[in-house]
Amino acid sequence: MKRTRILSAATALAGAALLAGCAMGGGQPAGPVALDPDAKLGGEITVWSWDVAATALERLAPEFEAEHPGTKITVVDVGYDNAYDKLSVGLQAGSGLPDVVTIETDRAPGYLNEFPNGLVDLTPVLGDDEADFDPFKWAAQSDADGALKVAPWDSGTVGLFYRSDYFAEAGIAPDSIETWDELVAAGEQIKAKTGHTLMSLDVATGGGFQMLLQQQGQGLFDENGDITVNSPEAVEALTLLQTINEKGLLKNVTGWDGRVTSAKDGDSAVTPEAVWWIGTLQGDAPELSGTYGVTELPAFEAGGVRTSNSGGSGLAVPAQAKNPALAAAFIEFALADADTQASMMEHEGLFPSYLPALQAEYFAAPQEYFDGQPVYELFAEQTANIPPIVFTTDNAKASDLVANAVVAAVLNGADPKQALDDAAQQIATATGREIAG
């Protein structure tokens, strides 16, 4: 029986899905690993993460080690583009994984379904803190029995990052833009005045399609688990992406590194992205301080929703971990503490799922990188406005097929409705699900 889960607030929807290796579901331990929250801590663990998330954990590791003499935390940046291939292969084989892994929220249900004993139940260590975490994140990363398998870390509320210098040169006030049509028109003016494209996207991984779809209150499936990738809202989202490309306002890039390089090079005027993009900019492009601002995502129609979700992640302990007790303790230290979570916001731009951390003064403070704008207030205000969507364990498989439809329409000029109809039929064939009527 297929399970569906309705997720509200900042439901994470990352672009590409690499869970194909999970399909066979073998290689798991014979039974679940039981944590003892009172276990004596010692020895060492290895943690896999990427980008600023890895930077944050590496920064926090010495503090944890100082509090727990005789322990050693080694953080490895495995790179985003390789992380899920490695995780899928390791879970399938039952070996080769470290003590702690990073898993994005949208991918968690697929792993929990295919590898029910592949990740350790963290409830014995974190269960008493459940009320202090964003409820949607806790539910999204727990299994059907309510066992927390992936501890909530950061959320992915979306805003519109913009190059204030490009807008100023084109004579456009960013706050005056309320709809996507107005942003496209502004993009044409910006390109004419500055030569820069409107936005840089990795079209091969879906080009932000699911973010645009969620903004309209739609996921890839409805509340019955039926396929909705060819809904009117989906067609409108894909038509928007196609239009941006046809007007010469899109720079197509490849992978995470391509997106970061494009931002550093100043290729485009805007980046519709989650709050965690702040950390990426500060970490990878410090030289651009003072040239960026943030406003709400444009709505599809005046008065419509002006945010969505992109990304968000958690930390998990594979059942094959050599030191699960120490791994769980490090996760508790990093994610269930207001000071450490606030510090990750301040230093790496990781927006907490741990609610007490949001009381820190930092979240209302002006940010020098953004020319003194208190950007985190905007994201905090918009988080409650993110539309709920339906998420199923087939989202990963559907995401790959939808990405192909995005490529067909945006890069190859296919009719958006036909491309999405074809994707819906392919998803139905691959999953056995019905297409919504």
Side-chain angles (χ1 to χ4, degrees):
M1 179 180 295
K2 297 182 175 67
R3 295 186 295 122
T4 63
R5 183 180 285 127
I6 298 178
L7 306 182
S8 59
T11 301
L13 285 175
L18 300 175
L19 286 178
C22 290
M24 296 174 63
Q28 300 177 54
V33 175
L35 286 174
D36 177 4
D38 298 319
K40 183 177 180 180
L41 302 180
E44 59 185 64
I45 59 170
T46 299
V47 181
W48 281 3
S49 196
W50 58 80
D51 195 56
V52 293
T55 301
L57 297 176
E58 188 171 17
R59 178 178 58 80
L60 292 173
E63 182 179 343
F64 179 87
E65 292 167 351
E67 293 182 9
H68 301 279
T71 64
K72 174 64 176 176
I73 314 297
T74 300
V75 179
V76 178
D77 187 336
V78 295
Y80 179 81
D81 293 335
N82 297 318
Y84 291 106
D85 280 340
K86 292 177 179 290
L87 180 57
S88 297
V89 170
L91 286 171
Q92 175 65 35
S95 63
L97 294 180
D99 300 275
V100 178
V101 294
T102 303
I103 301 177
E104 289 167 302
T105 307
D106 68 308
R107 301 174 187 263
Y111 283 114
L112 300 189
N113 182 64
E114 298 298 336
F115 300 97
N117 293 327
L119 301 174
V120 173
D121 178 11
L122 298 172
T123 311
V125 173
L126 291 173
D128 290 344
D129 298 309
E130 179 177 356
D132 288 330
F133 283 95
D134 194 332
F136 100 90
K137 292 275 287 185
W138 190 279
Q141 298 173 176
S142 298
D143 65 16
D145 297 322
L148 181 70
K149 296 296 185 72
V150 184
W153 187 353
D154 63 312
S155 296
T157 311
V158 172
L160 188 73
F161 293 80
Y162 62 86
R163 286 292 299 261
S164 53
D165 48 349
Y166 296 174
F167 274 78
E169 186 176 347
I172 300 171
D175 292 344
S176 69
I177 296 171
E178 297 185 1
T179 67
W180 281 107
D181 287 343
E182 291 173 354
L183 182 63
V184 172
E188 293 182 284
Q189 186 172 338
I190 289 169
K191 186 174 183 181
K193 293 283 189 178
T194 72
H196 296 287
T197 57
L198 179 61
M199 64 182 68
S200 299
L201 297 172
D202 183 357
V203 178
T205 59
F209 170 79
Q210 293 191 49
M211 179 193 72
L212 297 173
L213 189 57
Q214 185 177 4
Q215 185 184 359
Q216 300 175 81
Q218 286 270 322
L220 303 183
F221 303 92
D222 65 15
E223 64 276 6
N224 299 316
D226 293 337
I227 301 160
T228 56
V229 300
N230 57 344
S231 67
E233 292 83 0
V235 174
E236 186 170 8
L238 187 51
T239 299
L240 171 63
L241 293 173
Q242 186 183 65
T243 299
I244 291 171
N245 187 57
E246 288 178 344
K247 289 181 177 292
L249 303 178
L250 173 65
K251 180 177 177 61
N252 186 25
V253 298
T254 302
W256 173 259
D257 290 343
R259 295 182 61 202
V260 173
T261 298
S262 186
K264 285 177 64 65
D265 291 345
D267 292 330
S268 301
V270 304
T271 305
E273 195 49 276
V275 59
W276 47 258
W277 188 247
I278 294 173
T280 299
L281 290 175
Q282 292 174 331
D284 291 299
E287 70 277 8
L288 297 179
S289 178
T291 68
Y292 266 98
V294 184
T295 190
E296 295 88 352
L297 204 63
F300 276 86
E301 57 184 23
V305 174
R306 299 196 60 180
T307 191
S308 185
N309 193 88
S310 175
S313 60
L315 293 175
V317 179
Q320 60 191 259
K322 295 181 175 62
N323 196 339
L326 182 60
F330 181 67
I331 289 175
E332 181 183 26
F333 165 81
L335 306 188
D337 181 275
D339 290 338
T340 56
Q341 281 276 32
S343 79
M344 286 190 281
M345 182 76 256
E346 182 173 355
H347 293 283
E348 289 86 25
L350 296 169
F351 199 74
S353 294
Y354 189 64
L355 302 180
L358 296 176
Q359 303 305 313
E361 294 181 2
Y362 180 81
F363 292 89
Q367 299 300 313
E368 180 180 356
Y369 191 95
F370 295 89
D371 200 26
Q373 182 184 1
V375 292
Y376 296 119
E377 285 188 336
L378 180 147
F379 289 104
E381 291 169 357
Q382 286 295 325
T383 296
N385 299 326
I386 297 173
I389 67 166
V390 173
F391 196 90
T392 79
T393 54
D394 285 323
N395 264 68
K397 190 176 297 182
S399 293
D400 284 339
L401 296 171
V402 166
N404 293 338
V406 173
V407 171
V410 176
L411 299 185
N412 300 330
D415 175 69
K417 178 65 166 64
Q418 186 60 57
L420 291 171
D421 282 342
D422 292 344
Q425 187 57 59
Q426 292 165 3
I427 294 169
T429 300
T431 65
R433 294 181 181 270
E434 300 291 329
I435 299 174

